[in-house]
């Protein structure tokens, strides 16, 4: 009887009145990815690379044979639905002299590189804007500034700063996502070094609180009916045995016990 009562209680709490609970559900999700792609074409004869060879995605390029760095800023987004989405790019080349760890900026010079908006960008499609940077000219500009100033106490570097803005109706809501990415160029006489963060991804989600019926695992959802059936079977077996086999003590048994 006790086992049957426990089983029936579990069955009632699991199937008849399981109760409710509050959970957080994601209504919409937006992921934006941005990054730089760069390459340099070999334009001077040399014993290693053929003229016209494109060197791409390297940390270091050769100033004499491939001085012009071709850069593309790329962006894409992922969403359930979108309409009339535009991606704006605003890139600036900043030549500056900085102290250790970049905390102090002694001087800087800014030069616009590209400003463009790509319209009608669909989810998971790539929007891109390209421009070129001549490392020799960057080094010459930095040297001219240092000569005019008389000295440069820190490290001279060039930084490409790009503001990326995604604007449009995404997941049924007017949305604007802004991000700034950077790529550092350290010009040199023989080589120039590129330092960039790679693909950067940001995900924003909209959530809501909803009340749902509580659900239980298989141990409770199956265990309750099994306990009830075992208890009911036990009770039924005892009733059957009592009626058919007479479980009471016989007169001989009582006399023996006494």
């Amino acid at each position: 009887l006790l086992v049957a009562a426990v089983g029936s209680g579990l069955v009632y709490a699991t199937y008849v009145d399981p109760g409710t609970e509050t959970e957080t559900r994601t209504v919409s999700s937006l992921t934006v990815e941005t990054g730089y792609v760069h390459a340099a074409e070999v334009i001077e004869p040399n014993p290693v690379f053929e003229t016209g060879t494109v060197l791409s995605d390297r940390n270091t390029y050769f100033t004499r044979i491939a001085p012009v760095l071709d850069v593309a800023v790329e962006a894409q987004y992922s969403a359930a639905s979108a309409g009339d989405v535009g991606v704006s790019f605003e890139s600036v080349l900043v030549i500056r002299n900085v102290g250790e760890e970049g905390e102090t900026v002694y001087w800087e010079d800014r030069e616009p590189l590209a400003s463009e908006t790509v319209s009608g960008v669909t989810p998971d499609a790539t929007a891109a804007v390209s421009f070129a940077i001549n490392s020799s000219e960057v080094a010459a500009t930095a040297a001219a500034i240092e000569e005019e100033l008389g000295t440069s106490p820190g490290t001279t570097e060039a930084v490409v700063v790009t503001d990326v803005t995604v604007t449009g109706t995404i997941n049924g809501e007017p949305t604007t996502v802004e991000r700034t990415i950077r790529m550092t160029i350290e010009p040199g006489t023989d080589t120039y070094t590129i330092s960039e963060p790679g693909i950067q991804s940001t995900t924003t989600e909209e959530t809501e609180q909803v009340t749902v019926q509580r659900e239980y695992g298989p141990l409770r959802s199956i265990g309750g009916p099994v306990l009830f059936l075992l208890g009911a079977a036990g009770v039924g077996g005892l009733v059957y045995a009592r009626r058919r086999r007479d479980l009471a003590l016989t007169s001989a048994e009582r006399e023996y016990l006494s």
Side-chain angles (χ1 to χ4, degrees), residues 7-228:
S8 63
L10 290 176
V11 170
Y12 180 84
T14 303
Y15 295 99
V16 181
D17 185 18
T20 60
E21 61 182 357
T22 301
E23 65 179 25
T24 301
R25 288 183 177 177
T26 300
V27 179
S28 63
S29 176
L30 171 64
T31 300
V32 177
E33 294 183 347
T34 55
Y36 291 100
V37 177
H38 48 84
E41 182 180 355
V42 177
I43 60 175
E44 293 292 336
N46 66 90
V48 180
F49 303 103
E50 292 184 3
T51 303
T53 300
V54 177
L55 309 177
S56 60
D57 295 328
R58 293 186 167 211
N59 292 329
T60 301
Y61 294 90
F62 302 99
T63 305
R64 192 185 68 83
I65 66 172
V68 179
L69 184 69
D70 296 316
V71 182
V73 189
E74 298 182 345
Q76 69 176 25
Y77 69 95
S78 299
S81 62
D84 194 22
V85 176
V87 182
S88 300
F89 300 90
E90 189 80 28
S91 296
V92 178
L93 177 63
V94 180
I95 303 175
R96 64 184 186 179
N97 187 267
V98 297
E100 293 184 4
E101 299 181 359
E103 296 180 356
T104 303
V105 179
Y106 298 107
W107 58 262
E108 71 174 25
D109 178 73
R110 303 176 70 89
E111 176 185 345
L113 290 174
S115 179
E116 187 176 338
T117 298
V118 181
S119 303
V121 182
T122 57
D124 298 322
T126 300
V129 172
S130 302
F131 49 84
I133 301 174
N134 192 311
S135 62
S136 299
E137 293 180 358
V138 171
T141 300
I145 294 175
E146 292 175 351
E147 184 178 356
E148 290 291 334
L149 295 177
T151 184
S152 288
T155 301
T156 300
E157 63 182 13
V159 182
V160 177
V161 182
T162 303
D163 295 324
V164 182
T165 304
V166 180
T167 306
T169 302
I170 301 176
N171 295 325
E173 297 291 336
T175 304
T176 298
V177 178
E178 298 179 346
R179 176 184 296 175
T180 299
I181 58 177
R182 294 174 173 82
M183 180 177 70
T184 302
I185 304 173
E186 295 184 7
T189 304
D190 300 318
T191 61
Y192 55 99
T193 303
I194 308 299
S195 177
E196 46 96 1
I199 301 298
Q200 293 181 294
S201 177
T202 301
T203 300
T204 57
E205 295 181 342
E206 290 187 10
T207 60
E208 65 177 4
Q209 300 290 326
V210 295
T211 301
V212 298
Q213 182 174 289
R214 184 178 287 111
E215 295 182 355
Y216 299 96
L219 181 63
R220 180 163 175 169
S221 60
I222 298 176
V226 170
L227 286 178
F228 176 76

Side-chain angles (χ1 to χ4, degrees), residues 238-257:
L238 288 176
V239 171
Y240 174 82
R242 183 178 181 85
R243 289 184 177 181
R244 295 293 184 179
R245 299 181 178 276
D246 190 8
L247 298 181
L249 295 177
T250 62
S251 299
E253 290 171 336
R254 289 181 182 278
E255 182 179 357
Y256 175 79
L257 289 174

